Structure formats: C-alpha cells, structure tokens
Amino acid sequence: MRIVVTVKYVPDIASDRGFQDCRVVRTPAEGTINELDENAIEAALQLVEAAGEGEVVAVSVAGPDGAVALRKAFQMGAHRGVLVSDDALAGSDYFGTAAALAATVERLNADAPVDLVITGMAALDGLGSVVPTLLAAHLGWPALNLAKKVALADGAVTITREADDVTEELSARLPLVLSVADTANKPRLPNFKLIMAARTKEYETWSAADLALKPDAVGQAGARTETLSAAPRPPRDEVELVTDKGEGGKALAAFLIRNDLV
Amino acid sequence: MTNRTVLVLLDPATEVRTSVLELLTIARSLGRAEAVTLEAPTVEVLAQLGAYGIETVHQAELPAAVRGDERHLPAVVAAALAAAVRRTDADVVLVPTSFAAKEAAALAAHALGAGLVIDAAGVHDEDGRIVGTKRVFAGSWDTACAVTTDVAVLTVRSNAVVPQPVETAVSTEVEGFTAEVPELPVTLVSRTVKPRTSGRPSLEEAAVVVAGGRGTHGDFGPVEDLADALGAAVGASRDAVFEGWFDTYIGQTGVTVAPRVYIGAGISGAPHHRGGMQAAQVIVAVNSDPEAPIFEISDFAVVGDLADVLPQAAEVIRAHKA
Ligand SMILES: Cc1cc2nc3c(=O)[nH]c(=O)nc-3n(C[C@H](O)[C@H](O)[C@H](O)COP(=O)(O)OP(=O)(O)OC[C@H]3O[C@@H](n4cnc5c(N)ncnc54)[C@H](O)[C@@H]3O)c2cc1C
Ligand SMILES: Nc1ncnc2c1ncn2[C@@H]1O[C@H](COP(=O)(O)O)[C@@H](O)[C@H]1O
C-alpha cells in the first residue's frame, strides 16, 4: 500500500492572518500544517497499518518554510517527505497547485505504483475544497471527496459522505484521489520517539524543472485569476453588552426590532 | 449591459431556491442570463424563471448510461455545464456554493480552461473583466479577484444580492442539447436527501440564523423557539453536533453562513466556528460567561442563561409581529 498525502502550509487560524501585496502572509512563526490534512495523514497511516505494509509519502507545494508541514507529517508517522518548492510556483492558483501536485504524484508513481492520494477536505486559508478534484482530473484518476467513512476492499474504496443535506455512498477502483472530512477520524498525537526522529529526518526538495512542469502552467504565469485588491475589514463597533437581570431577552428583542431585523 | 452570455446552474430543476434567484439577478447584471438543467423543469419552475427574465433554459440530454441520481454527480453536472458553455459560447457560469457544486464548478473550469472563483460574495464587471469579491480569513479581509481567461466559472455565496424579478415576466423556452459524459469512474452506491424541516428556511440561504452550542446542555428547545419566532434557520456548533443534539453545524468545516443576523447561544466563538459565520452582517450572542470570546465579534450580546433569555426574546418578537 503506497499512499501520497498532500499537506499544505498555512497561517494558523488563531493568528492574525492577512495579505501583503495581494498575497497571503506566511511567516514561520505563525505557519503550520493545515489542520485538516492531519485527518488525511491519519487515514493514510490507518490504511497502511491495516495492510501490514506500505509507505506514506507526505507532499507539500510551498516555499522553503513549508517543511514545517512535512515535519508534522513525520511526527505523526509519515515515512517520506517531498517539498515541491520553486520561485516559478509562487502565485499559483488552484490549477497551478493541482498541476504541481499531479506531476509530483506521477514522478513518485513512476518509481513504484502509488495506490492512493489522500488530501484534507479544505485548506483552512482559502477554503476552496477544489484541489483534490483538480488533482484527480490531472491524473485521470477517480476522486472520492469528503469521506466521513472509508472502506478499502478488493482494490476498491467505498466512502460515505455527508454534505449539503445529502448522504451518499460512492465507490471507485484504485488508484484514486480521496479527500477526508474532519469527521473521518481523530488524528493521533505524535509519540516522543517520532517527535525526536522527525527533528532530523530528511525530506527531499523538488523543483519545477525536476517535475518537468511547463512554466506557463504554474505560478503567476499559469494563474487564471488575478487578485486585484485585499483589504482588512474595518473593525466592528464595540459590542453593546447587557447583563441579564430578568430583562435580557426583552433587551435582545428590542435590539433586533430597533435595527429593523425582525 | 454587454453582449455577454451568463449561464446559471439549476440543479435540481424541481424548485428554484432563493440562492438560484440571487444568481439569476446577478447574471442579468452581467449580460444575457440563461439557465442550465439536467432534467425537465416543472411548470412552476418555468414560471419563476420567466419572472426573473430568463427566456432560455438549456436542458442537457444525458447518455443512457447515466442513470437516476447519477445525474447529480459532479462529473455529470460538470460535463453538462461545459457542453452548455461550448454550445452557447457563454462567457460566465454561476453556480451556488455547496460542496457538490464546487466540485462540478472545478471540473467544468478544468475542461474549459476557465478561471475559477470559489465562494464569491459578489460578482461584477470591471473594465470588461469578471470580478468576484470574497470575504476571507473568517470575514476579516475583503478581496477582489479578476478572472483573466475568456470563460469565468464562479460559485457564489447565498445572500450576495437581494433577488429581483424583472418588471415584465417573459416566457421561458426549454431547449434540449446533447451532453457527452465520459464513462463515470465513480459508482454511486446510494443517495439520500435529507428532507427539509418544513416551515424553516435552509441554513445556507436563511437571512436570519439562530445557533446553539454546548451551552444548551442538550436542549435545543429555546434555540428553535427563537428561530421560529424570527422565521430563522437553526444551526449549531460542531461540539453540539458531535454530542448528537443537532444535525448540522456552522463553521469552517461545516456550513458557511453569511446571513443578515446571526444569533449564537451557548457558543464560545472558537476560531473554527467563527470561520463559518463571521461574515454575518449583525452578530448577536447569548452566553453566561462575561468573558466569552464570541463577544469580541458581536454587535449586541446578553450575559445570561440562554434558557431564560431566548424564550423571553421569542415572546416579545411574537407579540411585536402580531
Ligand atoms: C479540525 C477542526 C475543525 C473544526 N470545525 C468546526 C466547525 O466547523 N464549526 C464549529 O462550530 N466548531 C468546529 N470545531 C470545534 C471548535 O474548535 C470548538 O470546539 C467548538 O466550536 C466549540 O463549540 P461550543 O462553542 O458549542 O462549545 P464551548 O466552546 O464549550 O462553548 C460553550 C459556551 O456555552 C456557554 N454556556 C454554558 N452554559 C450556558 C448557558 N446556560 N447559557 C448560555 N451560555 C452558556 C459557555 O460559557 C461557553 O462559552 C473544529 C475543531 C477542529 C479541531
Ligand atoms: N500547496 C499545497 N500543497 C499540498 N497540498 C495542498 C496544497 N494546496 C491544497 N492542498 C491539498 O488539497 C486540500 C484541499 O485544498 P483546497 O482545495 O485549497 O481547499 C488540502 O487539504 C490539501 O490536502
């Protein structure tokens, strides 16, 4: 069982996130693994453990600081890490990111067959939830998205997903791309041994040239959208705080009525 | 008005939800608006489309291999959208925001070489280019994203505009077209649609949302009572859903809402939750803890027990409406 897990390097959602020159500010102090990708790592480790053999390869498309995401994957138990990092990739949109990830999977697949690519359900910086779909389209593989339950049997994966008031059971044959929901599992806490090992564990760095990526398919050059502006919203006015001494509900109703919100 | 053609996805075609009416309104502001369906629209649906100025509905005729509910699979919807764009030479595709629609939008954009904007809070024309505006980072930043390719595909959030019918309704024609669908790599084993609670708007589309959290201690009665007094949708925090107290949660990994009013009761306001509601126009909170983090982003808040505050508020609102 050979599984590639995609892990994104994102600003911590509890930090003060922002833009500079229309690009998301990514600093090592506040950068972290996209939390939802921990569910993807967990799903991959469980499948490899159940198979009794195999390898989990963590892949991130990011600047040099993106190694933080790979370290976290190592701490949880990933066997190998690849950082796809190149100035030519800066400014990639969904399509550029998916193209770079697809080329990475193809290169790994050429060494030894990859059975599955597992991703998180969304990157918490952009909340797009489209990279897994686009990655599968690039690879020409089926996509099973937003899995809450995952079952692997006889070379096929069956998932249950719940989204938009619809519950679906879907299945497809390997190899395929699987995105897991945050409800799929509970990511394990790394043990001491793995944390120590992760500090010095080596990861590989691949460039756009290593992946034979066409310059006009990735980065700013390949982007199909252009961010024209990014501005912080004005802060909200100070909250109007009422302490309930028996009339709190009336005050709430009065606020809504006064502001024409009823 | 330009000579642009703007296609709006209508799936299912058995009803026109508010989110679709909003898209039709936006589409008219960008060019000639037409609809795309994968099944026959009902008479009522056609009348509603006519009221919104839609003269043409393109109904995809799917290959026989696509059976029953498979027509809702993103790959099928995407194939129909892409075929409709090619047939009509359309410039813009608008779809509502849902997980399935995002998937279909991504696949259609991939097939068409089109630029993709996900979760736009508004769409407009700027110097001939299609621009989607977005609220990001839990509603704390506004961004504007221009599509630089010939065709633009956008998923648009609910409550982006107020739906506006045209002054004089038009008659709506259905035109069939053949949509080739590549062999489906995914098998649909089963599909069940959750019936909507009658009388309550859906969470995604509601103008007013009342949400309950761990502070309800399992009793959503007061939350539902206030919601019904307001004609609001009901939501929850993830913790409340994990406890089994309610079925749908608001937040970064749940449903994203941007209503006129959000009322959170017994919800602390964790970053994950904020990510899904902070774009609300007005935020109201009820919490027994005077230091609750949700107060930092609220316009109005009551420090108190929700079991006392909500029923009292509901009573006053009912009396006001009567
Ligand atoms: C990967 C990940 C994704 C997540 N995604 C989401 C998401 O999408 N949406 C989401 O909501 N959460 C999400 N969470 C969980 C989130 O981090 C919080 O744990 C959750 O939102 C807290 O729910 P709560 O506010 O109901 O509970 P708590 O944080 O326990 O808050 C309960 C509040 O109720 C108040 N209270 C208690 N009794 C009363 C009373 N009688 N009257 C009034 N107030 C009372 C308390 O003062 C407290 O502020 C996610 C977590 C993870 C790890
Ligand atoms: N730059 C990236 N590097 C690695 N994985 C990514 C990257 N961008 C997106 N992904 C993966 O795709 C998932 C969905 O991302 P998105 O479509 O951007 O919301 C994430 O949870 C990641 O697993």
Side-chain angles (χ1 to χ4, degrees):
Chain A
M1 180 78 352
R2 194 146 182 267
I3 303 178
V4 173
V5 177
T6 58
V7 292
K8 191 174 185 188
Y9 173 67
V10 299
D12 195 318
I13 62 163
S15 73
D16 229 344
R17 297 178 293 176
F19 288 80
Q20 197 170 12
D21 300 332
C22 292
R23 293 243 181 111
V24 175
V25 178
R26 297 177 198 273
T27 62
E30 283 163 353
T32 175
I33 187 173
N34 174 40
E35 201 177 0
L36 298 169
D37 295 341
E38 292 180 24
N39 296 100
I41 300 168
E42 179 62 38
L45 291 169
Q46 285 183 13
L47 288 171
V48 165
E49 283 158 6
E53 54 78 38
E55 184 187 33
V56 173
V57 187
V59 174
S60 191
V61 175
D65 299 334
V68 167
L70 297 178
R71 289 253 172 268
K72 178 68 198 196
F74 287 155
Q75 290 178 0
M76 288 180 69
H79 305 95
R80 187 176 164 191
V82 178
L83 179 65
V84 180
S85 191
D86 197 312
D87 288 344
L89 294 170
S92 289
D93 63 2
Y94 301 127
F95 301 95
T97 304
L101 287 171
T104 311
V105 173
E106 269 158 3
R107 179 164 162 180
L108 289 165
N109 195 44
D111 293 343
V114 171
D115 299 294
L116 260 172
V117 177
I118 308 187
T119 79
M121 68 181 283
L124 287 174
D125 52 355
L127 290 172
S129 290
V130 294
V131 167
T133 300
L134 292 173
L135 170 56
H138 268 280
L139 292 168
W141 292 4
L144 295 177
N145 283 330
L146 297 172
K148 185 181 178 182
K149 278 194 213 132
V150 180
L152 170 69
D154 305 326
V157 175
T158 303
I159 66 155
T160 308
R161 71 178 210 164
E162 284 169 19
D164 319 320
D165 286 346
V166 179
T167 303
E168 282 172 334
E169 222 181 314
L170 298 160
S171 78
R173 300 204 64 76
L174 300 177
L176 56 86
V177 177
L178 171 72
S179 82
V180 291
D182 61 329
T183 44
N185 54 41
K186 207 166 170 300
R188 65 193 63 186
L189 295 171
N191 65 35
F192 182 71
K193 214 175 111 211
L194 282 171
I195 293 176
M196 292 312 286
R199 285 204 188 148
T200 50
K201 198 171 164 70
E202 304 264 342
Y203 59 87
E204 294 143 78
T205 305
W206 293 356
S207 68
D210 290 336
L211 296 170
L213 284 167
K214 289 200 206 88
D216 60 354
V218 293
Q220 192 103 53
R224 302 176 189 176
T225 50
E226 180 192 338
T227 306
L228 301 177
S229 63
R233 288 187 58 74
R236 282 181 188 267
D237 289 341
E238 189 74 11
V239 57
E240 191 180 332
L241 202 64
V242 171
T243 301
D244 181 36
K245 297 197 181 81
E247 309 260 287
K250 287 183 190 160
L252 197 167
F255 170 82
L256 295 176
I257 293 165
R258 170 157 44 91
N259 288 289
D260 237 350
L261 299 169
V262 172
Chain B
M1 182 76 80
T2 66
N3 54 7
R4 235 189 236 122
T5 300
V6 184
L7 299 180
V8 174
L9 173 67
L10 180 63
D11 174 41
T14 42
E15 63 170 336
V16 190
R17 301 181 67 154
T18 316
S19 53
V20 173
L21 296 179
E22 291 167 9
L23 294 188
L24 297 174
T25 307
I26 294 173
R28 289 202 321 262
S29 75
L30 299 171
R32 180 184 160 80
E34 300 180 345
V36 179
T37 71
L38 289 91
E39 58 196 353
T42 60
V43 177
E44 292 80 14
V45 163
L46 287 176
Q48 232 176 336
L49 292 174
Y52 274 74
I54 306 303
E55 288 169 354
T56 312
V57 179
H58 302 277
Q59 186 189 335
E61 278 147 20
L62 301 169
V66 178
R67 300 226 181 99
D69 279 340
E70 282 177 351
R71 68 173 177 274
H72 300 298
L73 286 176
V76 178
V77 175
L81 283 174
V85 168
R86 292 196 178 107
R87 175 184 143 86
T88 58
D89 213 6
D91 308 280
V92 185
V93 177
L94 302 179
V95 306
T97 290
S98 68
F99 282 109
K102 282 188 195 185
E103 231 175 293
L107 288 173
H110 179 74
L112 293 162
L116 177 64
V117 177
I118 293 289
D119 280 354
V123 189
H124 64 268
D125 176 299
E126 208 166 300
D127 305 326
R129 289 203 294 191
I130 294 294
V131 175
T133 51
K134 287 179 66 160
R135 285 271 174 91
V136 299
F137 293 159
S140 62
W141 282 70
D142 280 327
T143 63
C145 223
V147 176
T148 54
T149 43
D150 291 342
V151 180
V153 179
L154 301 98
T155 74
V156 184
R157 287 243 175 107
S158 289
N159 294 312
V161 292
V162 178
Q164 204 80 60
V166 285
E167 255 163 50
T168 325
V170 298
S171 70
T172 310
E173 298 283 331
V174 180
E175 280 182 22
F177 71 102
T178 312
E180 303 280 348
V181 179
E183 200 191 326
L184 293 176
V186 169
T187 310
L188 180 65
V189 182
S190 67
R191 185 177 200 268
T192 12
V193 182
K194 196 181 90 184
R196 262 191 284 158
T197 316
S198 58
R200 278 203 199 125
S202 76
L203 195 52
E204 291 88 341
E205 296 178 334
V208 182
V209 169
V210 185
R214 214 176 253 294
T216 61
H217 304 288
D219 181 8
F220 262 60
V223 173
E224 298 188 85
D225 183 33
L226 178 60
D228 290 341
L230 289 163
V234 177
S237 68
R238 192 177 81 158
D239 287 24
V241 168
F242 278 16
E243 290 287 350
W245 300 338
F246 198 71
D247 56 7
T248 315
Y249 65 90
I250 295 170
Q252 218 133 33
T253 58
V255 176
T256 302
V257 298
R260 278 182 77 205
V261 189
Y262 163 96
I263 302 174
I267 289 181
S268 60
H272 294 105
H273 187 77
R274 288 183 184 196
M277 47 62 73
Q278 205 163 342
Q281 281 170 38
V282 175
I283 297 174
V284 174
V286 179
N287 200 300
S288 51
D289 173 8
E291 303 290 325
I294 196 167
F295 292 162
E296 289 163 21
I297 55 161
S298 300
D299 299 286
F300 182 87
V302 181
V303 181
D305 189 334
L306 68 90
D308 300 328
V309 176
L310 300 193
Q312 190 181 60
E315 198 185 311
V316 177
I317 285 159
R318 280 205 185 89
H320 172 78
K321 280 189 169 176

